[in-house]
Every structure is written in structure tokens, then in C-alpha cells.
């Protein structure tokens, strides 16, 4: 319903790229001199995860930082596919590095899933698979080398996932006040399971804004928590 002209879109892309570049640069500063960074910005500090420093840059949590880096990386890789200019490939890899430094498993998986979906869509639309592979091999090679460089980190993240969600599956953990989800992995896993059930039971609109896994529903449990058996789980 809103008309956008090409020059407006280009301006928005430049602004977004500028903000993302500053965000990534500050994240790298956080890696190199974390003490000075924390002293200036006074943001929450997160413990290292699987040998990664857990970068959050100017965000209060590494999760949004990781997703932001993934979002911008996808667009810069798209710019490379369209223009074939090397700088867009290098910028995309730099933002992909930001995604990895956030140490957020879902952000990393989102980047890989997004690239895989885009590649499959290219195969579907193009008549020649050879042409698609020729266009995509620089991205595949760059991202592949980036992943190989961080193999020990990914192994640690897999082990962390197994420890939290497989060897310690969701169970009833009763207690007092609400605590952070990272401190109670079974509660987080229970929320994942509940989300799938709600998506199935209340398709397509869900349960309503703020009624599940939000700040409001955490402070005072919504009826959904009792309905799906989550009101007895601490966290």
C-alpha cells in the first residue's frame, strides 16, 4: 500500500549498511578490548561460550546482534549475486563473522538456512544448474572456509546443545521467582515444545500478542501456561 521509489530504497539500503557496519565495528572492538568497551557502554556482560567471546556490540543481548548480522549478510550476498562485485562478497563474509561471534546457535543456523533456501530457489528458477553453481561458488567457498575456521567452536556448541536439551530433557522444575532462561534449559526446551503445539492448535494466528513467551506472560503467567502445563516449570 505504500509506494517506494528506487532512490528511496537505495537510500534506505545505504543507511542500513552504515548502521550495520558501525555495529559490527563496535563488536570487533568489544572482542579486542572488552574491558574498555564495557566501561564506556556499560552493557550486560556475557560469559564466553564454546571459546567464543559472545559479542553483543551495542545491543543488550547477543541474540539481536547475531540476527541483525545474519539479516545484513543475506542482503549483501544477494547484492553480490546481482552485481558480481567482489566487495559485496567480502562484506557479506564480514557480517557472517559477526553472526558467528555472537555465539547464538539459532542465528548461525538462520544464516545457513537462508543461504540454502536462496540457493534452492535459484536452482528452481534458472534453467541451467551449471550457471547457478557458477554464480554461487564464491559464496559457498567463502562461507565454507569461515565454517572450517570455526569447527572447534561449532563442536563446542553442539556439545552444549546436547548437554542442555538431550541429556537434560524438559522436566518439572518447580521453584520461586522467574529466572533467566539460560539458567534453566529444561524450561526453554519446554517453551519450544509448547510453541509447536500452539502453532498446531491455533493455526494460523496463534494465541494472541503477548500471551506466550513474552515479558508480560512471564511476569504473570497467561492462561496458556496452565493449559499447556508450563505453569509449574521454573524459568
Amino acid at each position: 500500500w505504500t509506494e517506494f521509489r528506487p532512490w528511496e530504497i537505495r537510500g534506505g539500503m545505504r543507511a542500513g549498511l552504515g548502521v550495520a557496519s558501525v555495529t559490527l565495528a563496535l563488536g570487533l572492538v568489544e572482542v579486542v578490548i572488552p574491558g574498555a568497551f564495557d566501561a564506556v557502554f556499560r552493557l550486560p556482560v556475557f560469559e564466553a561460550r564454546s571459546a567464543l567471546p559472545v559479542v553483543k556490540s551495542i545491543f543488550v543481548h547477543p541474540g539481536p546482534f547475531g540476527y541483525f548480522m545474519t539479516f545484513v549478510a543475506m542482503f549483501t550476498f544477494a547484492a553480490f549475486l546481482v552485481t558480481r562485485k567482489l566487495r559485496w562478497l567480502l562484506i557479506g563474509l564480514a557480517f557472517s563473522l559477526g553472526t558467528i561471534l555472537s555465539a547464538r546457535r539459532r542465528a548461525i543456523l538462520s544464516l545457513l538456512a537462508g543461504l540454502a533456501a536462496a540457493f534452492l530457489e535459484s536452482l528452481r528458477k534458472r534453467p541451467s544448474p551449471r550457471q547457478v553453481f557458477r554464480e554461487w561458488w564464491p559464496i559457498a567457498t567463502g562461507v565454507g572456509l569461515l565454517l572450517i575456521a570455526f569447527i572447534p567452536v561449532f563442536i563446542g556448541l553442539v556439545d552444549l546443545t546436547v548437554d542442555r536439551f538431550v541429556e537434560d530433557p524438559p522436566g518439572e522444575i518447580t521453584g520461586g521467582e522467574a529466572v533467566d532462561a539460560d539458567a534453566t534449559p529444561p524450561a526453554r526446551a519446554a517453551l519450544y515444545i509448547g510453541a509447536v503445539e500452539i502453532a498446531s492448535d491455533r493455526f494460523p494466528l496463534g494465541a494472541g500478542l503477548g500471551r506466550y513467551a513474552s515479558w508480560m506472560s512471564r511476569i504473570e503467567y497467561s492462561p496458556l501456561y496452565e493449559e499447556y502445563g508450563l505453569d509449574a516449570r521454573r524459568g
Side-chain angles (χ1 to χ4, degrees), residues 13 20 27 35 46-48 51 55 66 69 72 94 105 110 125-126 138 151 155 158-159 162 174 196 198-199 206 208:
M13 292 175 65
F46 294 82
E47 294 183 1
V55 176
M69 294 293 101
V72 181
R105 291 161 291 192
S110 295
K125 287 188 173 182
R126 297 292 180 84
I151 281 180
I155 292 176
V158 171
D159 291 340
V162 172
T174 58
V196 174
I198 291 174

Side-chain angles (χ1 to χ4, degrees), residues 30 34 38 42-47 54 56 60:
E30 183 183 7
D38 295 334
R42 299 181 180 276
L43 294 170
V45 178
F46 294 82
E47 294 183 1
V54 183
K56 64 186 180 306
V60 297

Side-chain angles (χ1 to χ4, degrees), residues 101-140:
L101 291 178
S102 72
R104 298 293 106 177
R105 291 161 291 192
R106 283 172 293 178
I108 296 171
L109 291 175
S110 295
L111 175 64
L112 299 179
L115 290 174
F119 175 73
L120 293 176
E121 182 68 8
S122 297
L123 283 176
R124 188 182 71 84
K125 287 188 173 182
R126 297 292 180 84
S128 172
R130 181 177 298 179
Q131 180 183 358
V132 174
F133 283 105
R134 187 167 56 247
E135 293 175 348
W136 273 86
W137 78 262
I139 296 177

Side-chain angles (χ1 to χ4, degrees), residues 6 30 32 36 39 50 61 69 85 121 146 158 162 169 187 193 224:
E30 183 183 7
V32 177
S50 183
H61 192 277
M69 294 293 101
K85 293 181 179 179
E121 182 68 8
L146 201 58
V158 171
V162 172
I193 295 171
L224 283 176

Side-chain angles (χ1 to χ4, degrees), residues 10 12 16 39 41 49 59 62 64 71 73 99 119 121 129 134 139 142 147 155 158 175 197 199 208 221:
R10 286 194 295 269
F41 289 94
R49 171 185 282 188
F59 292 89
F71 179 80
T99 298
F119 175 73
E121 182 68 8
R134 187 167 56 247
I139 296 177
L147 296 178
I155 292 176
V158 171
E197 293 175 348
Y221 284 169

Side-chain angles (χ1 to χ4, degrees), residues 193-222:
I193 295 171
V196 174
E197 293 175 348
I198 291 174
S200 175
D201 297 341
R202 301 166 186 267
F203 182 82
L205 299 179
L209 295 176
R211 292 175 59 83
Y212 187 76
S214 69
W215 179 255
M216 290 180 288
S217 61
R218 170 180 172 175
I219 294 301
E220 184 172 346
Y221 284 169
S222 73

Side-chain angles (χ1 to χ4, degrees), residues 16 18-31 37-38 40-44 46 54-66 68-69:
V19 172
S21 299
V22 172
T23 303
L24 176 61
L26 289 174
L28 297 178
V29 170
E30 183 183 7
V31 174
F37 181 90
D38 295 334
V40 172
F41 289 94
R42 299 181 180 276
L43 294 170
F46 294 82
V54 183
V55 176
K56 64 186 180 306
S57 187
I58 55 176
F59 292 89
V60 297
H61 192 277
F65 170 74
F68 184 37
M69 294 293 101

